[in-house]
């Protein structure tokens, strides 16, 4: 049995990213997660939004393990947007995973979700992530276009991924450039380029 | 905020938790047990440990979490919060207390029986569509009590104050009972099939029985007898009683009940015959399949009257029964299929099973493969049960269609494409009875050994491929990516074997411009199959909507390349097959097969199909190239996106393969730049590509099913060709329109340009030092002027999921 204490890593680099990304949006502030006291606000925001109800342990799994990959968008004292992530090994890659993203209805269409995602992309890149993935319902056009505009590709389709029987897409962003190939490609003879 | 030092130490907490847990006694006190619950079915026992938990967690600070070292995401997601009604199935809800009581002894009216029958049917089909038993079939209270539905139930009932005018109990103890039993038996046979592991549990289907019996000991045959008894009683007594009641819709009620009983019986018979080993009773199954489809059609046609006849019975279904079952994850509310949807679901299933019964009349390995390819692409996609049945039919215990060996299948498959010398796959007896010549004999047995090695290595990749084609569409693509390496290795091995066979058979190479060329019969077949995989992986990406519009050009360009390689490969194979006809002297010794007309026609059709696909893909990516020049297909730069990185990842699964050569991002850029070609020229060559594709497709449409080896799927094949034809025609029409518009624009532009040039000339003459505008600036000028129409390229996959129609909108 193990007791996990609330880690409070707040790297200065992350705070500078936040500043960089959000200097034009004055009324909304972006803060990293800092205490379990913020959890009820986060949970009520997400529960309103997602089709799958999560138990508090799901939140704790992510937030207690990767507190520095959870960010909130605040309007004064109220949490109106949140992103919850993790980052660990997947096969031979260091894979970032966006578990939850939610923005309160009245605050949508203001790029708050996009900003939250950009903050974590940068935070994950600083931690040397190779790729960032997430799943979203194939019918969730809002999310699909948000991630598409940031350069995520639809890597896989997951059949009946959600319990309501809806397909999902696995979206993926590559953080590292082309992995060098040893052999230089050669044109196959007779390949008709203009046929 | 609490600083870590204020918190109780880790060791301290762990120790306290351990002590507390050791004091926890979870045995339920027998005296507390309530025995008087009317709804005690399946109900677990509970003990209140609130006080214990409160005490144990007293010293915890906010933010602290006690967990096992192994606590992972799955544990977190399947955990529940006690006293949250959404998750805690042990909580007594208001709805539990107000639940309508279920009375097993109720004498049901015919319409009520009909209501239960239809609801149960909806549950059954919803289960088939992928939901759990606990939220579908198991919600039926009559399911759990079906064996109690006997005469005694009513005779000994002190509360039964029925009069003669009440419904006869036979509506319950015969009609309803036999129908419910029939349904249970059907579900059980389906369950048996689904637990073979052919499809993805929880994704395609859910087989968890939560420990509930499906009356496994009640024989299917007895169930058929029971349904027949019910049918007889209905015809002799039930119908009469309903008519005597004389309601206006009595004939509809009678017809509805009888048709449902008949359908249940014949569906059960279908499943019973299908479940026999080695596909032995498929013929009988087909007879009942036809009856089932007719009955189902009858129900469907009379839908407007018969579907609204049923009446709900309070308490007969308990949608919350899953709360009483032990489950891994808290249930989410589901929507049952409607009657109409259930009928469609069943109809699709019956059609699919029927098609499966057809294929045991084996024609050729290629036609079997083609059947699977078209079955796999059906929309709506075939249900999980029919996909499982198909897999079992194709291959169970290395037996194909219940009768054939893998050896025979592989032999046919290779022979149909590359027509190797007869001796390759000759049976051992053939070899043994050949004229005595030790040298030849030794040779022959060596050949046979090598070919058997090849067959042994092919069994797994080939059966995997058959299985993949029976998966759901998303899994098909994912698994195709996974088996690529196996096929690549198989090709390498086959090439080695081919080389050895060359010398053993003294094969004389064909002399071509590029030097001597050997036939490579085995590896040619493998390469062909591998190339189909490579192409389909990319094509399926379109069907599954995996690509953004900005990626289309790259993907079609790559498929174009693969198809080109494939075409050449088949051209080569074709050459060897036809050249072999002029049999050489030594080959005559090896008993050459008769002129392979079927192989030739197959190769002709395959090549036509490939060239048609290639022309379409080429037409598409060139049209996009042209539209980039005109500015109609300019995609905004996406943050964090890098095209070369994306190129690398999109084709990464091809990188490790021995062949074909992987193309690089630089190749892509170089070959799609078209700097010296105008947009207009590109539109015109695209037009030619679509026209060429059109004529190839028309040639294919004129071929016979047997020449194409489309024996089991010629209708689907024709449908696909027609869809491709529509794609070509629509793109031709669209391109003509685009060309027209561009011409008009160009006239305007060139007019303007001339004016501009004139002005510049004037300027130039004034200041001789001024720089002439570069060609690129003219380019952009032209671009913007062409874009004056404010239109953008629009891609619609309206005829075929793989090929769009490109228009300007």
């Amino acid at each position: 049995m193990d007791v996990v204490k609330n880690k409070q890593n707040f790297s200065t680099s992350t705070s500078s990213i936040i500043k960089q990304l959000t200097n034009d949006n004055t009324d909304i502030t972006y803060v990293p997660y800092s205490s379990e006291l913020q959890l009820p606000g986060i949970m009520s925001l997400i529960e309103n939004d997602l089709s799958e109800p999560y138990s508090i342990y799901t939140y704790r799994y992510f937030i207690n393990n990767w507190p520095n990959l959870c960010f909130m968008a605040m309007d004064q004292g109220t949490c109106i947007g949140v992103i919850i992530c993790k980052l660990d090994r997947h096969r031979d890659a260091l894979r970032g995973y966006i578990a939850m993203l939610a923005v309160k209805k009245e605050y949508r269409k203001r790029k708050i979700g996009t900003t939250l995602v950009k903050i974590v992309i940068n935070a994950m890149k600083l931690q040397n992530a190779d790729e960032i993935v997430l799943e979203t319902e194939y019918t969730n056009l809002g999310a699909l276009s948000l991630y598409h505009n940031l350069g995520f590709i639809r890597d896989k389709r997951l059949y009946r991924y959600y319990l309501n029987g809806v397909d999902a897409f696995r979206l993926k962003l590559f953080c590292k450039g082309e992995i060098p190939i040893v052999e230089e490609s050669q044109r196959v003879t007779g390949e008709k380029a203009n046929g | 905020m609490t600083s870590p030092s204020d918190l109780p130490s880790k060791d301290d907490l762990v120790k306290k938790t351990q002590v507390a847990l050791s004091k926890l006694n979870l045995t339920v006190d027998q005296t507390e047990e309530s025995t008087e619950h009317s709804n005690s079915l399946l109900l677990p026992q509970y003990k209140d440990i609130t006080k214990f938990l409160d005490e144990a967690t007293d010293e915890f600070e906010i933010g602290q979490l006690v967990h096992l070292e192994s606590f992972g995401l799955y544990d977190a997601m399947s955990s529940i919060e006690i006293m949250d009604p959404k998750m805690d199935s042990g909580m007594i809800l208001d709805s539990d207390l107000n639940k309508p009581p279920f009375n097993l002894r109720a004498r049901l009216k015919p319409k009520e029986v009909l209501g239960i029958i239809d609801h149960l049917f909806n549950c059954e089909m919803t289960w088939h569509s992928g939901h759990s038993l606990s939220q579908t079939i198991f919600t039926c209270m009559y399911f759990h009590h079906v064996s109690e539905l006997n005469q005694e139930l009513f005779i000994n009932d002190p509360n039964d104050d029925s009069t003669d005018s009440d419904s006869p109990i036979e509506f319950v103890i015969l009609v309803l009972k036999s129908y419910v039993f029939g349904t249970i038996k059907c579900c059980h046979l389906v369950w048996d099939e689904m637990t073979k592991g052919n499809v993805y549990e929880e994704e395609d289907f859910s087989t968890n029985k939560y420990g509930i019996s499906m009356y496994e000991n009640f024989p299917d045959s007895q169930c058929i007898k029971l349904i027949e008894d019910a049918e007889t009683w209905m015809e002799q007594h039930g119908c009469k009683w309903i008519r005597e009641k004389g309601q206006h819709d009595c004939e509809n009620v009678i017809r509805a009940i009888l048709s449902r009983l008949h359908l249940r019986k014949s569906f059960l018979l279908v499943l019973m015959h299908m479940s026999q080993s080695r596909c032995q009773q498929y013929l009988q199954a087909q007879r009942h399949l036809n009856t089932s489809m007719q009955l189902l059609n009858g129900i469907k046609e009379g839908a407007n009257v018969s579907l609204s006849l049923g009446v709900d019975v309070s308490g007969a279904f308990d949608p919350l029964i899953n709360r009483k079952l032990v489950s891994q994850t808290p249930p989410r509310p589901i929507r049952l299929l409607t009657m109409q949807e259930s009928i469609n679901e069943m109809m699709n299933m019956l059609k699919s099973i029927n098609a499966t019964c057809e294929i045991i009349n084996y024609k050729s390995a290629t036609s079997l493969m083609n059947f699977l390819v078209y079955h796999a692409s059906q929309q709506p996609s075939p249900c999980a049960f029919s996909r499982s049945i198909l897999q079992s039919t194709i291959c169970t215990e290395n037996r194909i269609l219940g009768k054939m060996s893998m050896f025979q299948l592989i032999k046919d498959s290779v022979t149909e494409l590359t027509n190797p010398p007869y001796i390759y796959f000759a049976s051992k007896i053939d070899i043994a009875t050949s004229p005595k010549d030790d040298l030849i004999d030794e040779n022959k047995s060596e050949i046979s050994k090598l070919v058997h090695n090849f067959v042994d290595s092919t069994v797994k990749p080939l059966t995997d491929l058959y299985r993949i084609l029976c998966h759901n569409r998303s899994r098909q693509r994912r698994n195709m990516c996974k088996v690529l390496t196996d096929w690549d290795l198989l090709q390498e091995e086959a090439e080695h074997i081919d080389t050895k066979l060359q010398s053993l058979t003294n094969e004389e190479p064909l002399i071509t411009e590029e030097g001597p060329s050997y036939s490579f019969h085995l590896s040619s077949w493998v390469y062909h199959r591998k190339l189909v995989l490579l192409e389909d992986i990319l094509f399926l990406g379109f069907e599954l909507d995996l690509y953004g519009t900005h990626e289309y050009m790259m993907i079609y360009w790559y498929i174009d390349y693969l198809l080109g390689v494939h075409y050449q490969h088949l051209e080569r194979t074709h050459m060897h097959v036809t050249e072999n006809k002029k049999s050489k002297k030594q080959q005559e010794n090896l008993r050459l097969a008769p002129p392979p007309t079927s192989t030739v026609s197959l190769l002709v059709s395959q090549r036509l199909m490939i060239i048609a696909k290639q022309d379409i893909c080429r037409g598409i990516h060139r049209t996009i190239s042209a539209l980039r020049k005109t500015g109609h297909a300019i995609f905004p730069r996406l943050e964090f996106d890098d095209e070369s990185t994306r190129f690398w990842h999109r084709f990464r699964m091809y990188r490790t393969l021995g062949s074909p050569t992987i193309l690089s991002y630089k190749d892509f850029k170089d070959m799609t730049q078209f700097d010296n070609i105008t947009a207009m020229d590109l539109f015109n060559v695209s037009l030619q590509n679509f026209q060429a594709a059109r004529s190839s497709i028309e040639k294919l449409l004129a071929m016979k099913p047997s020449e194409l080896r489309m024996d089991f799927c010629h209708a689907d094949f024709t449908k696909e060709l027609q869809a491709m034809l529509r794609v070509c025609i629509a793109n031709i029409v669209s391109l003509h329109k685009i060309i027209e518009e561009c011409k008009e624009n160009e006239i305007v532009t060139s007019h303007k340009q001339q004016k501009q040039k004139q002005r510049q000339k004037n300027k130039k003459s004034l200041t001789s030092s001024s720089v002439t505008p570069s060609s690129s600036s003219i380019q952009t000028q032209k671009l913007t002027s062409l874009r004056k129409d404010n239109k953008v390229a629009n891609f619609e996959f309206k005829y075929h999921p793989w090929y769009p129609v490109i228009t300007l909108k």
Side-chain angles (χ1 to χ4, degrees), chain B residues 55-204:
Chain B
E55 278 169 14
T57 55
D58 228 13
E59 289 171 45
F60 271 46
E61 294 293 331
I62 283 172
Q64 281 196 308
L65 181 64
V66 180
H67 65 74
L68 289 169
E69 204 87 59
S70 62
F71 179 73
L73 181 56
Y74 184 77
D75 305 302
M77 295 201 51
S78 50
S79 63
I80 60 156
E81 280 171 56
I82 290 173
M83 295 312 281
D84 179 334
K86 280 201 300 264
M87 312 182 194
D88 186 352
S89 57
M91 213 177 135
I92 296 170
L93 305 176
D94 289 347
S95 60
D96 285 339
L97 300 171
N98 302 327
K99 195 178 279 177
F102 168 62
N103 177 15
L104 189 63
R105 293 177 163 124
R107 288 170 171 253
L108 299 178
K109 295 187 182 71
K111 282 189 182 178
E112 290 176 322
V113 171
L114 197 58
I116 295 170
I117 286 177
D118 283 351
H119 193 104
L120 184 60
F121 175 60
N122 295 341
C123 286
E124 183 188 18
M125 288 303 131
T126 308
W127 177 51
H128 275 276
S129 80
H131 288 286
S132 73
L133 280 167
S134 65
Q135 291 189 286
T136 56
I137 302 282
F138 287 175
T139 61
C140 177
M141 295 312 286
Y142 285 97
F143 177 106
H144 302 285
H145 297 282
V146 68
S147 56
E148 298 162 42
L149 297 174
N150 296 318
Q151 220 158 6
E152 296 79 48
L153 188 71
F154 293 89
I155 290 170
N156 300 327
D157 184 6
N159 299 327
D160 187 13
D161 48 2
S162 63
T163 59
D164 286 347
S165 64
D166 278 329
S167 317
I169 57 169
E170 281 80 2
F171 279 116
V172 174
I173 64 165
L174 262 181
V175 178
L176 183 62
K177 181 181 183 176
S178 69
Y179 188 88
V180 173
F181 246 135
T183 306
I184 297 171
K185 288 289 104 185
C186 287
C187 290
H188 185 233
L189 286 165
V190 169
W191 186 88
D192 270 345
E193 173 63 37
M194 299 315 273
T195 44
K196 288 180 185 167
N198 286 338
V199 294
Y200 288 87
E201 176 70 24
E202 296 278 294
E203 179 177 296
D204 284 312

Side-chain angles (χ1 to χ4, degrees), chain B residues 501-519:
Chain B
L501 289 168
Q502 264 159 38
S503 61
L504 282 169
T505 56
N506 293 321
E507 183 182 336
E508 294 233 342
L510 297 177
I511 307 303
T512 68
E513 284 168 16
E514 286 130 41
S517 168
Y518 289 92
S519 53

Side-chain angles (χ1 to χ4, degrees), chain B residues 286 289 350-360 371 375:
Chain B
Q286 266 191 298
L289 271 166
L350 295 174
K351 280 183 185 159
S352 197
I353 301 174
N354 196 35
T356 301
C357 290
E358 292 284 336
I359 60 165
I360 62 163
F371 168 80
H375 186 266

Side-chain angles (χ1 to χ4, degrees), chain A residues 102-150:
Chain A
V103 175
K104 208 169 180 175
K105 234 187 190 107
E106 307 87 282
Y107 289 85
R108 290 190 191 157
K109 308 261 172 218
R110 289 173 60 179
K111 296 270 170 239
I112 295 172
T114 303
T115 309
L116 283 167
V117 177
K118 282 189 193 174
I119 291 172
V120 296
I121 291 175
N122 284 301
M124 287 175 180
K125 280 187 163 184
L126 278 175
Q127 295 182 45
N128 205 26
D130 294 301
E131 57 184 30
I132 300 168
V133 303
L134 66 121
E135 289 101 28
T136 185
E137 286 179 23
Y138 87 109
T139 47
N140 189 346
L141 300 181
L144 287 173
S145 101
L146 185 159
Y147 289 110
H148 165 81
N149 288 331
L150 291 172

